[in-house]
């Protein structure tokens, strides 16, 4: 009798233990598997692209076949991951218990992979390829020597707007609740040395609307998702920044900031430590340049400035160049050989000069005549040489 009871108790205990194990392993999972050829002995990382950056979830050292398989708990709302070998990356979106298959060849896996099992992942691949093509177009424009600075800016802006309109209509507004729509919001492009958002909710009213559209959709479909809340915060902060900028633009400049010559004076230290006043240049034609040297396009811009200076300085032309670079030493090393007036504003992007001159983006410049009256800004100028000659 005792043996039977003990045996029964043991059986019950085993059954309970099995049930617990099954329950603990029975959560919803997603799976990402496939092959990456020509990557023998390379380490393939599977990383979660969270709001705070990349976090490695798993990794595997690939053999000559290149097969891999990663499995993780399914997220409650769309989440983003990536497969990475060194700097080669494949972006993955997960919104349920998908089984996604990826086939690629190293070292071109970022551009030549195949993905199946997820519409989001297929759309993300399309967006990634579009983004690479955009970057190639921008690089080509920036490196075309016969284009002047203004032509480069106009051409880059034109291809950016075309790209944004395409992505807005065909990817974001089409299905704003989808993971690929969220992914599109945070695509970036390198302009100079700066990696900038293509959709900029900090300064563009239209781009804020795009963020708000996705945020509203995520509110409906994923009401407690952290990413949705983050989108809301970004949109609200963007609206606030734009209101401030618009209010500043409407403000009239105080009388004590305007000299009788009709230009807002600037008094900043040059690279020799002397305070240089913009209004002291009355009697000369002045190109007032707002510049950031820590950008790739800066060198081409300086070459253009040097050409203008060499041609017209002897006739009464001067350049007053304001740097908003964050490091004074860096600015000094970049300007020590320049022949014109180079000054530094330690306030950087928070400078009152940017507000007073209603500067929305850097770099930019203005032309001031011999009477110290501001005549035109860069967006109004098609032929800089002709404009300078007319003022001289």
């Amino acid at each position: 009798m005792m043996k039977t009871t003990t045996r029964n108790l043991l059986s019950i205990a085993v059954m309970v233990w099995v049930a617990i194990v099954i329950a603990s392993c029975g959560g919803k999972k997603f799976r990402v598997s496939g092959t990456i050829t020509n990557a023998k002995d390379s380490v393939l990382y599977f990383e979660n692209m969270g709001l705070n950056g990349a976090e490695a979830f798993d990794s595997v050292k690939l053999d000559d076949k290149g097969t891999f398989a990663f499995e993780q708990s399914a997220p409650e709302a769309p989440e983003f991951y990536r497969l990475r070998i060194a700097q080669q990356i494949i972006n993955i979106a997960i919104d349920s218990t998908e089984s996604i298959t990826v086939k690629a060849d190293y070292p071109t896996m970022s551009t030549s992979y195949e993905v199946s099992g997820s519409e989001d992942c297929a759309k993300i691949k399309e967006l990634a390829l579009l983004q690479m093509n955009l970057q190639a177009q921008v690089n080509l424009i920036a490196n075309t020597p016969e284009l002047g600075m203004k032509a480069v800016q106009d051409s880059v802006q034109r291809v950016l707007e075309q790209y944004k309109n395409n992505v807005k209509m065909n990817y974001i507004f089409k299905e704003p609740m989808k993971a690929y729509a969220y992914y599109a919001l945070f695509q970036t492009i390198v302009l100079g040395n700066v990696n900038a958002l293509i959709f900029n909710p900090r300064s563009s009213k239209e781009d804020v609307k795009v963020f708000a559209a996705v945020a509203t959709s995520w509110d409906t479909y994923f009401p407690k998702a952290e990413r949705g809340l983050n989108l809301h915060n970004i949109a609200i902060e963007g609206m606030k920044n734009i209101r401030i900028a618009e209010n500043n633009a409407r403000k009239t400049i105080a009388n004590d900031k305007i000299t009788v010559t009709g230009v807002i004076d600037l008094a900043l230290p040059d690279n020799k430590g002397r305070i240089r006043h913009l209004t002291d240049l009355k009697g000369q034609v002045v190109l007032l340049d707002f510049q950031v040297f820590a950008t790739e396009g800066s060198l081409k811009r300086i070459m253009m400035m040097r050409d203008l200076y060499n041609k017209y300085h002897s006739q009464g032309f001067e350049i007053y160049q304001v740097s908003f670079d964050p490091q004074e030493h860096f600015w000094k090393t970049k300007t020590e050989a320049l022949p014109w007036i180079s000054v530094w504003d330690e306030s950087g992007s928070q400078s009152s000069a940017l507000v007073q001159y209603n500067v929305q983006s850097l770099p930019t410049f203005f032309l001031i005549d011999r009477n110290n009256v501001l005549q035109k800004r860069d967006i109004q100028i098609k032929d800089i040489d002709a404009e300078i000659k007319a003022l001289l």
Side-chain angles (χ1 to χ4, degrees), residues 5-219:
T5 302
T6 301
R7 187 181 297 112
N8 289 340
L9 288 174
L10 286 172
S11 298
I12 293 171
V14 169
M15 292 173 65
V16 170
W17 178 79
V18 170
I20 292 173
V21 170
I22 292 174
S24 65
C25 297
K28 293 182 178 179
K29 302 282 187 180
F30 70 88
R31 178 182 174 86
V32 179
S33 61
T35 57
I36 298 180
T37 55
N38 295 320
K40 183 181 179 181
D41 295 330
S42 297
V43 177
L44 175 66
Y45 294 93
F46 184 63
E47 299 170 328
N48 175 222
M49 297 304 296
L51 292 176
N52 296 319
E55 178 185 358
F57 269 14
D58 205 347
S59 64
V60 62
K61 187 174 183 179
L62 298 175
D63 58 18
D64 55 350
K65 294 181 180 178
T67 58
F68 67 90
F70 299 114
E71 190 174 81
Q72 293 288 335
S73 297
E76 295 182 358
E79 191 53 74
F80 298 87
Y81 304 84
R82 69 182 186 184
L83 299 168
R84 179 177 65 83
I85 299 177
Q87 300 304 312
Q88 288 290 308
I89 291 169
I90 296 174
N91 290 297
I92 300 292
I94 301 292
D95 66 3
S96 61
T97 56
E98 292 110 330
S99 181
I100 295 172
T101 302
V102 176
K103 295 180 180 180
D105 185 73
Y106 189 75
T108 59
M109 57 185 268
S110 293
T111 57
S112 61
Y113 69 94
E114 298 177 8
V115 61
S116 58
S118 167
E119 180 194 13
D120 273 315
C121 290
K123 292 291 187 180
I124 285 174
K125 178 186 176 182
E126 291 177 15
L127 285 163
L129 294 178
L130 287 171
Q131 179 186 18
M132 292 176 191
N133 182 60
L134 172 66
Q135 185 69 67
Q137 290 183 65
V138 169
N139 292 345
L140 180 62
I141 293 169
N143 295 320
T144 302
E146 58 268 25
L147 289 179
M149 181 185 63
K150 184 64 167 61
V152 168
Q153 291 176 339
D154 289 345
S155 298
V156 168
Q157 187 61 36
R158 187 161 52 251
V159 298
L160 277 174
E161 288 304 317
Q162 290 172 351
Y163 181 88
K164 289 166 70 171
N165 288 334
N166 174 36
V167 170
K168 278 192 295 187
M169 300 310 299
N170 296 313
Y171 293 90
I172 297 176
F173 291 155
K174 187 175 182 179
E175 293 183 297
M177 79 296 294
K178 292 288 189 176
Y180 70 81
Y182 182 103
Y183 172 87
L185 292 178
F186 294 96
Q187 287 191 297
T188 60
I189 187 170
V190 177
L191 297 171
N193 286 328
V194 179
N195 196 29
L197 285 171
I198 295 172
F199 291 96
N200 185 357
R202 296 182 180 89
S203 60
S204 169
K205 182 182 291 188
E206 292 304 312
D207 291 353
V208 169
K209 293 177 182 178
V210 179
F211 272 76
V214 178
T216 301
S217 184
W218 277 51
D219 269 351

Side-chain angles (χ1 to χ4, degrees), residues 266-337:
L266 299 176
L268 295 166
D270 67 11
N271 47 16
K272 302 295 190 297
R274 297 172 296 175
I275 298 298
R276 306 298 295 266
H277 284 265
L278 177 61
T279 52
D280 286 344
L281 300 177
K282 185 177 181 180
Q284 301 180 74
V285 173
V286 179
L287 190 151
L288 171 60
D289 184 49
F290 291 150
Q291 167 76 297
V292 178
F293 285 90
T295 59
E296 185 178 338
S298 171
L299 178 59
K300 185 173 183 178
R301 184 180 179 84
I302 293 303
M303 291 174 64
M304 184 274 286
M305 297 283 180
R306 186 178 287 276
D307 180 59
L308 293 175
Y309 189 86
N310 290 342
K311 286 192 290 188
Y312 304 117
H313 179 62
S314 62
Q315 302 174 47
F317 173 72
E318 186 57 82
I319 296 174
Y320 187 98
Q321 189 168 57
V322 186
S323 164
F324 297 91
D325 289 273
Q327 295 184 356
E328 182 180 14
H329 177 72
F330 172 82
W331 159 70
K332 284 185 175 179
T333 61
K334 291 293 184 181
T335 60
E336 59 184 357

